[in-house]
Amino acid sequence: MVQFRMQQILEQCGLQGKGYGPHTLRHTFATLLLNGGMDLYVLKNLMGHQHVDQTLMYARLSHRRIHESYD
């Protein structure tokens, strides 16, 4: 049902066929929280994963966050 409703909303916004779906929201959720400074293990638990590796498939560190950590 979530996917059906999301497709309706995407059509209303003119974004159908662009590859967006409920799974995209999980990627966005994970990436924004990780780049916002959330601990990876907390994020893992929020996403319901058993292993950090699963979470890392969703979350991508931004170049800015990498540079900030390095500095």
Side-chain angles (χ1 to χ4, degrees):
M1 185 63 187
V2 171
Q3 185 166 346
F4 175 75
R5 182 66 182 125
M6 189 164 181
Q7 289 305 316
Q8 288 179 322
I9 293 168
L10 290 170
E11 286 177 22
Q12 292 171 355
C13 297
L15 296 172
Q16 69 276 13
K18 303 256 184 208
Y20 300 122
H23 209 70
T24 309
L25 295 177
R26 286 182 62 81
H27 285 278
T28 303
F29 174 78
T31 298
L32 289 174
L33 289 177
L34 186 63
N35 284 300
M38 179 171 280
D39 181 79
L40 182 59
Y41 290 93
V42 173
L43 180 57
K44 173 190 82 77
N45 289 327
L46 280 176
M47 295 192 71
H49 294 152
Q50 290 185 347
H51 305 284
V52 173
D53 298 3
Q54 294 171 293
T55 307
L56 290 174
M57 290 189 316
Y58 285 90
R60 300 285 179 237
L61 278 174
S62 68
H63 291 292
R64 179 180 178 184
R65 181 87 163 115
I66 292 169
H67 288 285
E68 287 172 356
S69 294
Y70 177 77
D71 291 339

